[in-house]
Amino acid sequence: MRIASVNAWGGAMADELLTWLPGSGADVVCLQEVTRTPGLSGWTSFADAERSLPQRADLFEDVRGVLPRHQGHFAASDSGPVHDGAGARHRQDFGLATLVAEDLTVCGLDATFVHGRFTDHDEWPTGDRPRIALAVRTVAHDSGRSVWVVQVHGLRDPGGKGDTPARRRQADRLAALVRRLRGPEDLVVVCGDLNLLPGSETFAVLAETGLTDLVRDADTRTSRYPKPVRHASYLLISDVTAVKRFEIMAEPEVSDHRALIFDI
């Protein structure tokens, strides 16, 4: 089973992302910063007080279009206004998407907020936005082993990626989710853009659940990201002996984040 995780950047590099995904060989695709605007396609513009970004109107539908034989699951953390090319305002959902190959049985689904609760914003805030975790349980028919793949997009703080009380509460909620879901024979994978530094206390909290981080202090950003701090995305697993291959993908670039790819 191959699992890939990447912050999709709202589809800002949609051509590259949508070209790469079908040939990636990923059985489970975990995407953060996924957009969904019912009834609208093409491009939109997102803006808060800090930045303005191009985004796909419905990246979830775009990805489903290039992975038609994957089962798609989307969970929104919040929603807010975007504008199309004519300047018209639309409400866009923002969240996580997990897509699972059709030959894998999905036998469990869960989504829970690790920070805040769902909010429909009149205007997008620069920080303190809600964060959700999306968990999918699959069974590999060749081995019969069940795997929980949990992805999360960690809290963004304009002040940086250091530990804060809010991030500690987020870690505790994520650890509680893992404990609640995990069966005695389940393999657990936690991945995503955690928005943390490698030395964060979050990793100690998750280690108490039996999870080991594979990324550590590796660079997980691409050339599209100009800032000096190069840490963001992580992948943790409950049994490191199950890992056959792990790669932090430098090429091709499909986002301002590098994709994390591993085989179990």
Side-chain angles (χ1 to χ4, degrees):
M1 182 189 300
R2 174 167 296 174
I3 300 172
S5 173
V6 64
N7 182 317
W9 204 14
M13 294 179 65
D15 288 345
E16 294 84 351
L17 178 67
L18 298 175
T19 298
W20 169 72
L21 277 173
S24 68
D27 301 293
V28 180
V29 177
C30 297
L31 300 175
Q32 303 91 54
E33 290 197 19
V34 177
T35 59
R36 182 176 176 272
T37 311
L40 187 67
S41 61
W43 289 95
T44 60
S45 176
F46 160 93
D48 60 22
E50 198 176 71
R51 58 202 171 137
S52 179
L53 297 170
Q55 291 188 158
R56 295 296 294 172
D58 199 331
L59 182 60
F60 181 56
E61 194 61 30
D62 292 339
V63 172
R64 290 179 67 190
V66 299
L67 297 176
R69 302 182 74 86
H70 280 59
Q71 307 162 72
H73 307 280
F74 175 80
S77 56
D78 52 355
S79 65
V82 294
H83 294 83
D84 63 24
R89 181 178 168 114
H90 303 266
R91 186 188 64 81
Q92 185 174 83
D93 290 337
F94 180 92
L96 307 173
T98 300
L99 296 101
V100 182
E102 65 178 356
D103 60 341
L104 292 177
T105 297
V106 174
C107 56
L109 289 168
D110 202 299
T112 190
F113 280 86
V114 293
H115 177 77
R117 61 183 181 180
F118 179 81
T119 305
D120 192 353
H121 307 285
D122 290 329
E123 300 294 339
W124 294 103
T126 57
D128 199 35
R129 286 176 56 184
R131 295 303 193 198
I132 198 168
L134 175 60
V136 176
R137 185 174 185 247
T138 70
V139 174
H141 293 297
D142 55 351
S143 67
R145 188 170 196 181
S146 60
V147 183
W148 275 105
V149 181
V150 183
Q151 66 154 318
V152 66
H153 182 198
L155 179 63
R156 180 180 182 270
D157 186 335
K161 290 182 168 59
D163 285 335
T164 64
R167 283 186 167 127
R168 174 55 191 252
R169 290 190 293 271
Q170 175 182 260
D172 288 338
R173 290 178 181 177
L174 183 56
L177 172 65
V178 171
R179 291 190 180 98
R180 175 168 61 82
L181 294 178
R182 184 181 182 182
E185 303 299 325
D186 289 337
L187 182 68
V188 179
V189 174
V190 173
C191 58
D193 173 11
L194 300 187
N195 269 321
L196 298 171
L197 299 175
S200 171
E201 63 181 339
T202 291
F203 299 107
V205 171
L206 295 176
E208 292 177 359
T209 71
L211 293 169
T212 300
D213 170 39
L214 301 183
V215 174
R216 304 194 180 188
D217 61 354
D219 185 347
T220 61
R221 306 305 298 245
T222 70
S223 65
R224 302 302 182 101
Y225 186 77
K227 298 180 182 179
V229 177
R230 309 289 298 175
H231 312 293
S233 300
Y234 296 90
L235 188 147
L236 302 93
I237 192 166
S238 61
D239 179 5
V240 294
T241 66
V243 180
K244 292 183 176 180
R245 168 181 173 260
F246 174 60
E247 177 187 356
I248 300 172
M249 188 180 79
E251 296 288 343
E253 295 187 351
V254 299
S255 170
D256 62 340
H257 292 253
R258 297 182 182 186
L260 307 181
I261 305 167
F262 72 111
D263 298 336
I264 54 175

